[in-house]
Amino acid sequence: MIFEKRSTRTRMSTETGFALLGGHPCFLTSQDIHLGVNESSTDTARVLSGLCDIVLARVYSHSTLEELDKEASIPIINGLSDLYHPIQILADFLTLQEHYGSLNGLTVSWIGDGNNVLHSFMMTAAKLGVHLKIATPKHGTQLVLTSDPMEAAHGSNVLVTDTWVSMGQEEEKKKRLKDFKGYQITMQTGSVAKPDWTFLHCLPRKLEEVDDHVFYSSRSLVFPEAENRKWTIMGLMVSLLTDYSPKIPHAQVLISGLLLVRHDT
């Protein structure tokens, strides 16, 4: 497990899950490994291929994952990069499937930053028959479908947001908080959603992103969502390390189409 960026859920779900499967997880931070500094990513990938069976890497740059995958002879899992966060999306959709019984036809509304989690939602939703509506500010994002949170929330089953200030963006905090004014998810936001609407957040959460009335309400699925990080990463590792094939077609699509870092994804 290579972690250039700290994490609670990704580290704990992977460590405890892999141990339950009978494996031995090894945790490496940027202080423990020479990735791309004293040793190239190419050399690191080849060394780890001889010492490990699988690597989960949580990195700043997606190009680091691509280089590891190109040079490694073992599976490389994207534990998060600046471009995607696919293992979070596995847990999110498992949580929604458990809650609603089916994913097909659900409408998910993303209200917040156009970040790596959103990119993974966009990569996944159409594969599962899920409608996706997005509200992001007019400035500083790559894709703008609407800048009106209420428009995005209208008629939706699921309201989702994430941190407005990611690690590495601390210097932009003041401007970002100003840009995202009015984007806090509240019960008023949910008032235009469907009667059975629920809320997701990949955590950790800040009050400006969603208020306590929503975050700690019965509509919030954030803690089952966090727990499902463990079960989904276990399923992924079993799938990659054995000849096991998921029995649910949607899960197979997720695993084969999203989680391996390949150049055709």
Side-chain angles (χ1 to χ4, degrees):
M1 301 160 52
I2 300 173
F3 278 62
E4 290 186 335
K5 303 177 75 171
R6 65 186 183 272
S7 168
T8 299
R9 282 146 296 278
T10 301
R11 177 177 178 178
M12 289 300 297
S13 61
T14 305
E15 280 199 6
T16 59
F18 200 54
L20 275 177
L21 292 172
H24 178 71
C26 300
F27 177 71
L28 300 170
T29 70
S30 55
Q31 284 74 46
D32 302 311
I33 195 170
H34 306 290
L35 186 65
V37 182
N38 294 329
E39 185 172 54
S40 68
S41 296
T42 295
D43 292 354
T44 297
R46 294 182 181 183
V47 168
L48 292 178
S49 294
L51 301 175
C52 307
D53 297 291
I54 192 167
V55 170
L56 179 141
R58 183 181 176 92
V59 299
Y60 283 100
S61 174
H62 192 75
S63 62
T64 301
L65 283 170
E66 292 179 327
E67 188 171 358
L68 288 172
D69 178 65
K70 179 181 178 181
E71 300 297 334
S73 59
I74 58 176
I76 303 293
I77 298 175
N78 179 356
L80 175 142
S81 70
D82 58 350
L83 194 58
Y84 298 115
H85 195 357
I87 58 175
Q88 178 64 51
I89 297 307
L90 272 184
D92 287 4
F93 279 116
L94 174 61
T95 305
L96 295 177
Q97 183 165 299
E98 288 176 334
H99 182 82
Y100 290 102
S102 174
L103 296 174
N104 189 50
L106 287 182
T107 298
V108 173
S109 291
W110 177 272
I111 299 173
D113 195 12
N115 63 9
N116 48 8
V117 179
L118 173 58
H119 296 162
S120 289
F121 263 115
M122 295 169 67
M123 289 281 287
T124 312
K127 297 177 183 290
L128 301 177
V130 175
H131 306 292
L132 181 62
K133 299 165 74 173
I134 302 167
T136 56
K138 293 182 178 180
H139 303 288
T141 57
Q142 295 177 325
L143 175 64
V144 177
L145 299 184
T146 179
S147 58
D148 185 349
M150 299 302 286
E151 179 183 353
H154 188 270
S156 293
N157 300 100
V158 188
L159 305 182
V160 194
T161 193
D162 189 11
T163 180
W164 297 346
V165 186
S166 297
M167 283 180 274
Q169 297 176 335
E170 288 80 8
E171 294 182 0
E172 305 172 26
K173 181 175 181 179
K174 185 176 180 180
K175 181 179 185 302
R176 282 176 166 269
L177 291 180
K178 180 180 179 181
D179 288 342
F180 282 99
K181 185 177 181 181
Y183 276 72
Q184 184 191 48
I185 293 181
T186 65
M187 287 297 181
Q188 182 180 359
T189 315
S191 68
V192 297
K194 290 187 176 179
D196 64 347
W197 69 273
T198 54
F199 173 75
L200 293 178
H201 193 301
C202 67
L203 304 179
R205 158 258 191 178
K206 302 293 188 299
L207 186 61
E208 63 264 19
E209 301 151 4
V210 52
D211 69 9
D212 285 347
H213 294 293
V214 172
F215 188 76
Y216 292 111
S217 73
S218 60
R219 296 183 179 277
S220 176
L221 302 178
V222 295
F223 296 109
E225 176 189 9
E227 179 186 339
N228 279 331
R229 290 292 304 277
K230 178 173 183 173
W231 309 121
T232 48
I233 195 65
M234 288 174 68
L236 173 62
M237 292 186 292
V238 167
S239 180
L240 291 173
L241 292 173
T242 70
D243 58 0
Y244 169 81
S245 296
K247 296 179 181 179
I248 301 174
H250 290 334
Q252 191 167 7
V253 169
L254 276 173
I255 290 172
S256 63
L258 287 178
L259 291 178
L260 290 177
V261 184
R262 301 299 179 191
H263 299 293
D264 59 351
T265 59

